[in-house]
Amino acid sequence: MTNWLKTAPKWALLASTLVLGACSSQPDDPYADPRDPFEDTNRAVWDFNRELDKAVIKPAAEVYENVPEPVRNSLYRALENLQEPWSFVNNVLQGQFKDAGVTAGRFFFNSTIGLLGLLDPATEMGLTKREESLGQTLAVWGVPNGPFLMLPVLGPTVVIDRGTDWVDGNYFPYTEISDDWDIPRYTIKGLSLRLRLREQEQVLENSLDPYTFVKEAYYQNWRYEVYDGNPPPEVEGDAEEIDFSEDQ
């Protein structure tokens, strides 16, 4: 499924790119997607991910669902709160100073009266999330996406998105937290996201080509994030737009 875990070591992405480099689609194929030069290998990884999901990830998420929902939501909010300082930096880098102020306010209120993010009083105050990553900042600056990749476990991405995860995961306050927290941190976020994806399973199963559906859905969501919910109209010939306006 899409983006179970929002992180990956930079070396893993580079290694995947090198492996995929020898398995790109034929350049003379008139039906080849130019964004997806490694489609044959990406599809193989997609099949692996689906089998892994059926055998491990989905059952684990269903077990995690037995944890009371208020507890699950509080844990997820606390992890999301740790991302606010880096979102502040990226909002500043993108020149979105008002959003940077909102992000700073969210981190202050949720970290204090919100009990380190377990609660979300900032949203009740009208300070809605303005999450930004380094990949989004680079995209705003005009850096190309790079090729589409289907990574094991992590799912669909482009180089500019996953390629900056190492930086995104090494900022305050994460730099002050022991590495022993990495596994539970990623596990909680991954299982929470997997539970949310269940609502889209039927749509995926009914699609003619689930791989292509997920790829186009990823690109639509990526554009939505880069343009903060207001992407420009796509040129003729691009994929049909999919609505990703749900809360992040």
mmCIF file of all heavy atoms in Angstrom, residues 77-92 99-111 116-117 119-120 122-123 127-132 168 171-174 189 248:
data_model
loop_
_atom_site.group_PDB
_atom_site.id
_atom_site.type_symbol
_atom_site.label_atom_id
_atom_site.label_comp_id
_atom_site.label_asym_id
_atom_site.label_seq_id
_atom_site.Cartn_x
_atom_site.Cartn_y
_atom_site.Cartn_z
ATOM 1 N N ARG A 77 -0.427 11.081 17.632
ATOM 2 C CA ARG A 77 -0.309 12.538 17.733
ATOM 3 C C ARG A 77 1.029 12.930 18.345
ATOM 4 O O ARG A 77 1.655 13.913 17.920
ATOM 5 C CB ARG A 77 -1.462 13.102 18.567
ATOM 6 C CG ARG A 77 -2.779 13.216 17.827
ATOM 7 C CD ARG A 77 -3.749 14.088 18.605
ATOM 8 N NE ARG A 77 -4.086 13.511 19.898
ATOM 9 C CZ ARG A 77 -5.162 12.776 20.135
ATOM 10 N NH1 ARG A 77 -6.014 12.526 19.163
ATOM 11 N NH2 ARG A 77 -5.402 12.305 21.354
ATOM 12 N N ALA A 78 1.468 12.186 19.365
ATOM 13 C CA ALA A 78 2.741 12.508 20.008
ATOM 14 C C ALA A 78 3.896 12.377 19.023
ATOM 15 O O ALA A 78 4.818 13.204 19.020
ATOM 16 C CB ALA A 78 2.965 11.588 21.211
ATOM 17 N N LEU A 79 3.859 11.363 18.175
ATOM 18 C CA LEU A 79 4.909 11.193 17.166
ATOM 19 C C LEU A 79 4.840 12.288 16.113
ATOM 20 O O LEU A 79 5.869 12.802 15.666
ATOM 21 C CB LEU A 79 4.776 9.815 16.522
ATOM 22 C CG LEU A 79 5.071 8.620 17.438
ATOM 23 C CD1 LEU A 79 4.741 7.317 16.726
ATOM 24 C CD2 LEU A 79 6.526 8.631 17.878
ATOM 25 N N GLU A 80 3.635 12.649 15.712
ATOM 26 C CA GLU A 80 3.471 13.724 14.746
ATOM 27 C C GLU A 80 3.961 15.056 15.310
ATOM 28 O O GLU A 80 4.502 15.889 14.576
ATOM 29 C CB GLU A 80 1.994 13.845 14.341
ATOM 30 C CG GLU A 80 1.483 12.695 13.495
ATOM 31 C CD GLU A 80 2.000 12.769 12.065
ATOM 32 O OE1 GLU A 80 1.449 13.542 11.270
ATOM 33 O OE2 GLU A 80 2.966 12.041 11.753
ATOM 34 N N ASN A 81 3.779 15.235 16.608
ATOM 35 C CA ASN A 81 4.213 16.483 17.232
ATOM 36 C C ASN A 81 5.725 16.670 17.126
ATOM 37 O O ASN A 81 6.218 17.796 17.027
ATOM 38 C CB ASN A 81 3.787 16.502 18.702
ATOM 39 C CG ASN A 81 4.082 17.820 19.387
ATOM 40 O OD1 ASN A 81 3.653 18.882 18.947
ATOM 41 N ND2 ASN A 81 4.842 17.758 20.472
ATOM 42 N N LEU A 82 6.469 15.566 17.141
ATOM 43 C CA LEU A 82 7.924 15.646 17.033
ATOM 44 C C LEU A 82 8.382 16.154 15.673
ATOM 45 O O LEU A 82 9.532 16.569 15.519
ATOM 46 C CB LEU A 82 8.543 14.268 17.308
ATOM 47 C CG LEU A 82 8.348 13.708 18.715
ATOM 48 C CD1 LEU A 82 8.940 12.306 18.805
ATOM 49 C CD2 LEU A 82 8.980 14.619 19.755
ATOM 50 N N GLN A 83 7.497 16.122 14.683
ATOM 51 C CA GLN A 83 7.852 16.581 13.346
ATOM 52 C C GLN A 83 7.664 18.088 13.172
ATOM 53 O O GLN A 83 8.116 18.665 12.180
ATOM 54 C CB GLN A 83 7.004 15.853 12.291
ATOM 55 C CG GLN A 83 7.253 14.359 12.257
ATOM 56 C CD GLN A 83 6.377 13.643 11.239
ATOM 57 O OE1 GLN A 83 6.109 12.464 11.355
ATOM 58 N NE2 GLN A 83 5.928 14.379 10.237
ATOM 59 N N GLU A 84 6.997 18.726 14.117
ATOM 60 C CA GLU A 84 6.673 20.144 13.966
ATOM 61 C C GLU A 84 7.911 21.045 13.818
ATOM 62 O O GLU A 84 7.913 21.952 12.981
ATOM 63 C CB GLU A 84 5.808 20.626 15.132
ATOM 64 C CG GLU A 84 4.464 19.916 15.266
ATOM 65 C CD GLU A 84 3.446 20.323 14.201
ATOM 66 O OE1 GLU A 84 3.797 21.060 13.266
ATOM 67 O OE2 GLU A 84 2.289 19.874 14.323
ATOM 68 N N PRO A 85 8.990 20.846 14.598
ATOM 69 C CA PRO A 85 10.154 21.732 14.427
ATOM 70 C C PRO A 85 10.742 21.673 13.023
ATOM 71 O O PRO A 85 11.147 22.706 12.475
ATOM 72 C CB PRO A 85 11.147 21.217 15.481
ATOM 73 C CG PRO A 85 10.296 20.606 16.535
ATOM 74 C CD PRO A 85 9.171 19.965 15.787
ATOM 75 N N TRP A 86 10.800 20.476 12.427
ATOM 76 C CA TRP A 86 11.341 20.370 11.072
ATOM 77 C C TRP A 86 10.376 20.961 10.045
ATOM 78 O O TRP A 86 10.799 21.536 9.044
ATOM 79 C CB TRP A 86 11.649 18.917 10.759
ATOM 80 C CG TRP A 86 12.414 18.698 9.489
ATOM 81 C CD1 TRP A 86 12.067 17.886 8.455
ATOM 82 C CD2 TRP A 86 13.672 19.275 9.110
ATOM 83 N NE1 TRP A 86 13.012 17.917 7.465
ATOM 84 C CE2 TRP A 86 14.009 18.772 7.838
ATOM 85 C CE3 TRP A 86 14.529 20.190 9.739
ATOM 86 C CZ2 TRP A 86 15.175 19.139 7.177
ATOM 87 C CZ3 TRP A 86 15.696 20.558 9.074
ATOM 88 C CH2 TRP A 86 16.002 20.038 7.811
ATOM 89 N N SER A 87 9.078 20.831 10.283
ATOM 90 C CA SER A 87 8.099 21.487 9.413
ATOM 91 C C SER A 87 8.264 23.001 9.489
ATOM 92 O O SER A 87 8.128 23.707 8.477
ATOM 93 C CB SER A 87 6.672 21.094 9.814
ATOM 94 O OG SER A 87 6.403 19.745 9.512
ATOM 95 N N PHE A 88 8.573 23.510 10.691
ATOM 96 C CA PHE A 88 8.826 24.946 10.849
ATOM 97 C C PHE A 88 9.992 25.374 9.958
ATOM 98 O O PHE A 88 9.905 26.364 9.222
ATOM 99 C CB PHE A 88 9.132 25.256 12.308
ATOM 100 C CG PHE A 88 9.659 26.645 12.544
ATOM 101 C CD1 PHE A 88 8.795 27.717 12.641
ATOM 102 C CD2 PHE A 88 11.026 26.881 12.654
ATOM 103 C CE1 PHE A 88 9.279 29.008 12.845
ATOM 104 C CE2 PHE A 88 11.526 28.159 12.868
ATOM 105 C CZ PHE A 88 10.642 29.229 12.958
ATOM 106 N N VAL A 89 11.100 24.617 10.013
ATOM 107 C CA VAL A 89 12.274 24.950 9.199
ATOM 108 C C VAL A 89 11.925 24.934 7.719
ATOM 109 O O VAL A 89 12.291 25.855 6.966
ATOM 110 C CB VAL A 89 13.422 23.963 9.497
ATOM 111 C CG1 VAL A 89 14.571 24.169 8.513
ATOM 112 C CG2 VAL A 89 13.910 24.132 10.927
ATOM 113 N N ASN A 90 11.213 23.918 7.267
ATOM 114 C CA ASN A 90 10.903 23.812 5.840
ATOM 115 C C ASN A 90 9.888 24.851 5.392
ATOM 116 O O ASN A 90 9.948 25.326 4.251
ATOM 117 C CB ASN A 90 10.417 22.394 5.518
ATOM 118 C CG ASN A 90 11.560 21.413 5.404
ATOM 119 O OD1 ASN A 90 12.321 21.427 4.442
ATOM 120 N ND2 ASN A 90 11.708 20.568 6.403
ATOM 121 N N ASN A 91 8.973 25.235 6.267
ATOM 122 C CA ASN A 91 8.071 26.337 5.923
ATOM 123 C C ASN A 91 8.852 27.630 5.730
ATOM 124 O O ASN A 91 8.575 28.402 4.808
ATOM 125 C CB ASN A 91 7.013 26.503 7.013
ATOM 126 C CG ASN A 91 5.806 25.615 6.799
ATOM 127 O OD1 ASN A 91 5.163 25.654 5.758
ATOM 128 N ND2 ASN A 91 5.493 24.795 7.795
ATOM 129 N N VAL A 92 9.845 27.857 6.583
ATOM 130 C CA VAL A 92 10.685 29.046 6.431
ATOM 131 C C VAL A 92 11.463 28.978 5.121
ATOM 132 O O VAL A 92 11.539 29.964 4.376
ATOM 133 C CB VAL A 92 11.653 29.179 7.627
ATOM 134 C CG1 VAL A 92 12.684 30.278 7.362
ATOM 135 C CG2 VAL A 92 10.877 29.502 8.903
ATOM 136 N N ASP A 99 2.737 30.097 7.814
ATOM 137 C CA ASP A 99 2.629 28.679 8.157
ATOM 138 C C ASP A 99 3.707 28.277 9.159
ATOM 139 O O ASP A 99 3.469 27.439 10.037
ATOM 140 C CB ASP A 99 2.750 27.816 6.903
ATOM 141 C CG ASP A 99 1.518 27.899 6.021
ATOM 142 O OD1 ASP A 99 0.504 28.466 6.476
ATOM 143 O OD2 ASP A 99 1.566 27.409 4.875
ATOM 144 N N ALA A 100 4.888 28.884 9.043
ATOM 145 C CA ALA A 100 5.957 28.605 10.005
ATOM 146 C C ALA A 100 5.532 29.035 11.406
ATOM 147 O O ALA A 100 5.793 28.335 12.399
ATOM 148 C CB ALA A 100 7.241 29.317 9.597
ATOM 149 N N GLY A 101 4.875 30.177 11.503
ATOM 150 C CA GLY A 101 4.385 30.644 12.790
ATOM 151 C C GLY A 101 3.333 29.715 13.374
ATOM 152 O O GLY A 101 3.331 29.441 14.578
ATOM 153 N N VAL A 102 2.443 29.218 12.497
ATOM 154 C CA VAL A 102 1.420 28.273 12.949
ATOM 155 C C VAL A 102 2.078 26.999 13.469
ATOM 156 O O VAL A 102 1.700 26.459 14.512
ATOM 157 C CB VAL A 102 0.448 27.948 11.799
ATOM 158 C CG1 VAL A 102 -0.464 26.781 12.178
ATOM 159 C CG2 VAL A 102 -0.392 29.170 11.448
ATOM 160 N N THR A 103 3.091 26.523 12.746
ATOM 161 C CA THR A 103 3.783 25.301 13.146
ATOM 162 C C THR A 103 4.482 25.482 14.491
ATOM 163 O O THR A 103 4.444 24.593 15.353
ATOM 164 C CB THR A 103 4.810 24.900 12.072
ATOM 165 O OG1 THR A 103 4.133 24.697 10.836
ATOM 166 C CG2 THR A 103 5.534 23.636 12.453
ATOM 167 N N ALA A 104 5.124 26.625 14.687
ATOM 168 C CA ALA A 104 5.773 26.900 15.966
ATOM 169 C C ALA A 104 4.748 26.933 17.100
ATOM 170 O O ALA A 104 4.998 26.406 18.198
ATOM 171 C CB ALA A 104 6.529 28.222 15.898
ATOM 172 N N GLY A 105 3.599 27.545 16.819
ATOM 173 C CA GLY A 105 2.546 27.594 17.824
ATOM 174 C C GLY A 105 2.019 26.210 18.156
ATOM 175 O O GLY A 105 1.771 25.894 19.322
ATOM 176 N N ARG A 106 1.864 25.380 17.135
ATOM 177 C CA ARG A 106 1.385 24.012 17.369
ATOM 178 C C ARG A 106 2.350 23.251 18.275
ATOM 179 O O ARG A 106 1.930 22.578 19.222
ATOM 180 C CB ARG A 106 1.243 23.263 16.040
ATOM 181 C CG ARG A 106 0.019 23.636 15.227
ATOM 182 C CD ARG A 106 -0.065 22.782 13.968
ATOM 183 N NE ARG A 106 -0.061 21.356 14.290
ATOM 184 C CZ ARG A 106 -1.139 20.662 14.674
ATOM 185 N NH1 ARG A 106 -2.311 21.273 14.771
ATOM 186 N NH2 ARG A 106 -1.047 19.378 14.965
ATOM 187 N N PHE A 107 3.628 23.382 17.991
ATOM 188 C CA PHE A 107 4.608 22.638 18.780
ATOM 189 C C PHE A 107 4.622 23.137 20.229
ATOM 190 O O PHE A 107 4.707 22.328 21.165
ATOM 191 C CB PHE A 107 6.000 22.781 18.166
ATOM 192 C CG PHE A 107 7.047 21.964 18.856
ATOM 193 C CD1 PHE A 107 7.023 20.583 18.786
ATOM 194 C CD2 PHE A 107 8.055 22.578 19.589
ATOM 195 C CE1 PHE A 107 7.981 19.810 19.443
ATOM 196 C CE2 PHE A 107 9.022 21.821 20.240
ATOM 197 C CZ PHE A 107 8.982 20.436 20.162
ATOM 198 N N PHE A 108 4.496 24.433 20.419
ATOM 199 C CA PHE A 108 4.522 24.988 21.777
ATOM 200 C C PHE A 108 3.315 24.512 22.576
ATOM 201 O O PHE A 108 3.461 23.980 23.693
ATOM 202 C CB PHE A 108 4.548 26.510 21.724
ATOM 203 C CG PHE A 108 4.410 27.157 23.077
ATOM 204 C CD1 PHE A 108 5.495 27.204 23.939
ATOM 205 C CD2 PHE A 108 3.199 27.682 23.497
ATOM 206 C CE1 PHE A 108 5.373 27.782 25.205
ATOM 207 C CE2 PHE A 108 3.064 28.250 24.750
ATOM 208 C CZ PHE A 108 4.159 28.304 25.601
ATOM 209 N N PHE A 109 2.107 24.699 22.022
ATOM 210 C CA PHE A 109 0.905 24.372 22.779
ATOM 211 C C PHE A 109 0.731 22.865 22.962
ATOM 212 O O PHE A 109 0.343 22.401 24.037
ATOM 213 C CB PHE A 109 -0.327 24.974 22.100
ATOM 214 C CG PHE A 109 -0.402 26.462 22.205
ATOM 215 C CD1 PHE A 109 -0.307 27.261 21.072
ATOM 216 C CD2 PHE A 109 -0.554 27.082 23.435
ATOM 217 C CE1 PHE A 109 -0.361 28.643 21.171
ATOM 218 C CE2 PHE A 109 -0.610 28.469 23.550
ATOM 219 C CZ PHE A 109 -0.513 29.250 22.411
ATOM 220 N N ASN A 110 1.010 22.092 21.918
ATOM 221 C CA ASN A 110 0.836 20.641 22.044
ATOM 222 C C ASN A 110 1.903 20.008 22.929
ATOM 223 O O ASN A 110 1.673 18.951 23.520
ATOM 224 C CB ASN A 110 0.841 19.983 20.665
ATOM 225 C CG ASN A 110 -0.445 20.227 19.907
ATOM 226 O OD1 ASN A 110 -1.433 20.684 20.488
ATOM 227 N ND2 ASN A 110 -0.453 19.932 18.627
ATOM 228 N N SER A 111 3.073 20.633 23.005
ATOM 229 C CA SER A 111 4.136 20.086 23.849
ATOM 230 C C SER A 111 3.974 20.472 25.309
ATOM 231 O O SER A 111 4.572 19.838 26.179
ATOM 232 C CB SER A 111 5.511 20.568 23.358
ATOM 233 O OG SER A 111 5.769 20.116 22.048
ATOM 234 N N LEU A 116 3.047 16.868 25.708
ATOM 235 C CA LEU A 116 4.024 16.347 24.745
ATOM 236 C C LEU A 116 3.375 15.790 23.484
ATOM 237 O O LEU A 116 3.926 14.902 22.828
ATOM 238 C CB LEU A 116 4.899 15.273 25.403
ATOM 239 C CG LEU A 116 5.727 15.731 26.609
ATOM 240 C CD1 LEU A 116 6.521 14.559 27.182
ATOM 241 C CD2 LEU A 116 6.656 16.875 26.238
ATOM 242 N N GLY A 117 2.215 16.319 23.151
ATOM 243 C CA GLY A 117 1.565 15.926 21.913
ATOM 244 C C GLY A 117 0.538 14.829 22.052
ATOM 245 O O GLY A 117 -0.109 14.466 21.068
ATOM 246 N N LEU A 119 -2.209 15.116 23.404
ATOM 247 C CA LEU A 119 -3.442 15.840 23.082
ATOM 248 C C LEU A 119 -3.138 16.851 21.988
ATOM 249 O O LEU A 119 -1.976 17.157 21.714
ATOM 250 C CB LEU A 119 -3.993 16.533 24.330
ATOM 251 C CG LEU A 119 -4.244 15.637 25.551
ATOM 252 C CD1 LEU A 119 -4.704 16.473 26.739
ATOM 253 C CD2 LEU A 119 -5.255 14.546 25.227
ATOM 254 N N ASP A 120 -4.161 17.401 21.382
ATOM 255 C CA ASP A 120 -3.968 18.337 20.270
ATOM 256 C C ASP A 120 -4.786 19.606 20.488
ATOM 257 O O ASP A 120 -5.698 19.925 19.711
ATOM 258 C CB ASP A 120 -4.363 17.660 18.955
ATOM 259 C CG ASP A 120 -4.051 18.514 17.733
ATOM 260 O OD1 ASP A 120 -3.304 19.510 17.878
ATOM 261 O OD2 ASP A 120 -4.548 18.184 16.638
ATOM 262 N N ALA A 122 -3.834 22.548 19.955
ATOM 263 C CA ALA A 122 -3.518 23.532 18.921
ATOM 264 C C ALA A 122 -4.573 23.523 17.812
ATOM 265 O O ALA A 122 -4.980 24.585 17.326
ATOM 266 C CB ALA A 122 -2.133 23.240 18.336
ATOM 267 N N THR A 123 -5.002 22.342 17.412
ATOM 268 C CA THR A 123 -6.026 22.269 16.368
ATOM 269 C C THR A 123 -7.325 22.897 16.844
ATOM 270 O O THR A 123 -8.012 23.595 16.082
ATOM 271 C CB THR A 123 -6.260 20.808 15.955
ATOM 272 O OG1 THR A 123 -5.053 20.284 15.366
ATOM 273 C CG2 THR A 123 -7.390 20.700 14.934
ATOM 274 N N LEU A 127 -5.086 26.231 14.977
ATOM 275 C CA LEU A 127 -3.734 26.083 14.417
ATOM 276 C C LEU A 127 -3.628 24.703 13.769
ATOM 277 O O LEU A 127 -3.163 23.739 14.370
ATOM 278 C CB LEU A 127 -2.683 26.235 15.523
ATOM 279 C CG LEU A 127 -2.693 27.565 16.280
ATOM 280 C CD1 LEU A 127 -1.679 27.538 17.416
ATOM 281 C CD2 LEU A 127 -2.411 28.720 15.331
ATOM 282 N N THR A 128 -4.087 24.593 12.537
ATOM 283 C CA THR A 128 -4.086 23.310 11.846
ATOM 284 C C THR A 128 -2.702 22.991 11.307
ATOM 285 O O THR A 128 -1.877 23.880 11.082
ATOM 286 C CB THR A 128 -5.100 23.318 10.693
ATOM 287 O OG1 THR A 128 -4.810 24.412 9.817
ATOM 288 C CG2 THR A 128 -6.516 23.460 11.223
ATOM 289 N N LYS A 129 -2.460 21.722 11.103
ATOM 290 C CA LYS A 129 -1.126 21.244 10.734
ATOM 291 C C LYS A 129 -0.654 21.834 9.412
ATOM 292 O O LYS A 129 -1.413 21.949 8.449
ATOM 293 C CB LYS A 129 -1.139 19.713 10.647
ATOM 294 C CG LYS A 129 0.230 19.094 10.449
ATOM 295 C CD LYS A 129 0.148 17.575 10.373
ATOM 296 C CE LYS A 129 -0.360 17.000 11.663
ATOM 297 N NZ LYS A 129 -0.345 15.514 11.649
ATOM 298 N N ARG A 130 0.627 22.205 9.367
ATOM 299 C CA ARG A 130 1.286 22.726 8.162
ATOM 300 C C ARG A 130 2.554 21.901 7.909
ATOM 301 O O ARG A 130 3.645 22.411 7.851
ATOM 302 C CB ARG A 130 1.660 24.204 8.338
ATOM 303 C CG ARG A 130 0.508 25.128 8.686
ATOM 304 C CD ARG A 130 -0.439 25.307 7.506
ATOM 305 N NE ARG A 130 -1.280 26.465 7.662
ATOM 306 C CZ ARG A 130 -2.425 26.501 8.337
ATOM 307 N NH1 ARG A 130 -2.833 25.395 8.952
ATOM 308 N NH2 ARG A 130 -3.135 27.600 8.433
ATOM 309 N N GLU A 131 2.386 20.604 7.788
ATOM 310 C CA GLU A 131 3.535 19.700 7.694
ATOM 311 C C GLU A 131 4.281 19.861 6.373
ATOM 312 O O GLU A 131 3.672 19.908 5.303
ATOM 313 C CB GLU A 131 3.072 18.249 7.845
ATOM 314 C CG GLU A 131 4.207 17.244 7.866
ATOM 315 C CD GLU A 131 3.716 15.834 8.127
ATOM 316 O OE1 GLU A 131 2.541 15.678 8.533
ATOM 317 O OE2 GLU A 131 4.502 14.889 7.924
ATOM 318 N N GLU A 132 5.596 19.955 6.458
ATOM 319 C CA GLU A 132 6.456 20.061 5.276
ATOM 320 C C GLU A 132 7.716 19.231 5.504
ATOM 321 O O GLU A 132 8.199 19.102 6.628
ATOM 322 C CB GLU A 132 6.858 21.521 5.012
ATOM 323 C CG GLU A 132 5.709 22.466 4.729
ATOM 324 C CD GLU A 132 5.057 22.247 3.382
ATOM 325 O OE1 GLU A 132 5.680 21.562 2.528
ATOM 326 O OE2 GLU A 132 3.941 22.753 3.172
ATOM 327 N N ASP A 168 15.320 14.269 7.107
ATOM 328 C CA ASP A 168 14.055 14.505 7.797
ATOM 329 C C ASP A 168 13.995 13.810 9.150
ATOM 330 O O ASP A 168 13.275 14.259 10.045
ATOM 331 C CB ASP A 168 12.883 14.008 6.934
ATOM 332 C CG ASP A 168 12.620 14.913 5.735
ATOM 333 O OD1 ASP A 168 12.988 16.098 5.798
ATOM 334 O OD2 ASP A 168 12.058 14.428 4.737
ATOM 335 N N TYR A 171 16.758 15.578 13.045
ATOM 336 C CA TYR A 171 16.648 16.967 13.457
ATOM 337 C C TYR A 171 16.111 16.999 14.881
ATOM 338 O O TYR A 171 15.615 15.997 15.395
ATOM 339 C CB TYR A 171 15.708 17.740 12.519
ATOM 340 C CG TYR A 171 14.317 17.153 12.458
ATOM 341 C CD1 TYR A 171 13.357 17.484 13.405
ATOM 342 C CD2 TYR A 171 13.968 16.246 11.459
ATOM 343 C CE1 TYR A 171 12.097 16.939 13.369
ATOM 344 C CE2 TYR A 171 12.702 15.687 11.414
ATOM 345 C CZ TYR A 171 11.774 16.034 12.375
ATOM 346 O OH TYR A 171 10.532 15.477 12.347
ATOM 347 N N PHE A 172 16.212 18.148 15.549
ATOM 348 C CA PHE A 172 15.637 18.299 16.885
ATOM 349 C C PHE A 172 14.123 18.154 16.790
ATOM 350 O O PHE A 172 13.509 18.736 15.886
ATOM 351 C CB PHE A 172 15.988 19.676 17.453
ATOM 352 C CG PHE A 172 15.361 19.948 18.788
ATOM 353 C CD1 PHE A 172 15.964 19.506 19.949
ATOM 354 C CD2 PHE A 172 14.158 20.634 18.871
ATOM 355 C CE1 PHE A 172 15.375 19.744 21.183
ATOM 356 C CE2 PHE A 172 13.560 20.870 20.090
ATOM 357 C CZ PHE A 172 14.184 20.420 21.245
ATOM 358 N N PRO A 173 13.483 17.413 17.679
ATOM 359 C CA PRO A 173 14.022 16.765 18.884
ATOM 360 C C PRO A 173 14.477 15.323 18.678
ATOM 361 O O PRO A 173 14.883 14.681 19.642
ATOM 362 C CB PRO A 173 12.816 16.814 19.830
ATOM 363 C CG PRO A 173 11.644 16.674 18.920
ATOM 364 C CD PRO A 173 12.008 17.413 17.662
ATOM 365 N N TYR A 174 14.402 14.788 17.444
ATOM 366 C CA TYR A 174 14.829 13.403 17.240
ATOM 367 C C TYR A 174 16.297 13.205 17.602
ATOM 368 O O TYR A 174 16.696 12.121 18.025
ATOM 369 C CB TYR A 174 14.601 12.984 15.786
ATOM 370 C CG TYR A 174 13.153 12.707 15.457
ATOM 371 C CD1 TYR A 174 12.585 13.197 14.285
ATOM 372 C CD2 TYR A 174 12.353 11.950 16.308
ATOM 373 C CE1 TYR A 174 11.258 12.943 13.973
ATOM 374 C CE2 TYR A 174 11.022 11.701 16.005
ATOM 375 C CZ TYR A 174 10.476 12.196 14.837
ATOM 376 O OH TYR A 174 9.174 11.938 14.532
ATOM 377 N N LYS A 189 3.780 4.350 13.782
ATOM 378 C CA LYS A 189 3.319 5.157 12.650
ATOM 379 C C LYS A 189 2.899 4.263 11.485
ATOM 380 O O LYS A 189 1.891 4.510 10.823
ATOM 381 C CB LYS A 189 4.418 6.119 12.207
ATOM 382 C CG LYS A 189 4.737 7.207 13.212
ATOM 383 C CD LYS A 189 5.551 8.326 12.615
ATOM 384 C CE LYS A 189 4.745 9.121 11.626
ATOM 385 N NZ LYS A 189 5.474 10.323 11.150
ATOM 386 N N GLN A 248 -4.207 15.142 7.199
ATOM 387 C CA GLN A 248 -2.956 14.406 7.294
ATOM 388 C C GLN A 248 -2.678 14.052 8.738
ATOM 389 O O GLN A 248 -2.986 14.789 9.620
ATOM 390 C CB GLN A 248 -1.803 15.247 6.731
ATOM 391 C CG GLN A 248 -2.031 15.589 5.267
ATOM 392 C CD GLN A 248 -2.059 14.368 4.373
ATOM 393 O OE1 GLN A 248 -1.183 13.525 4.496
ATOM 394 N NE2 GLN A 248 -3.017 14.251 3.498
#
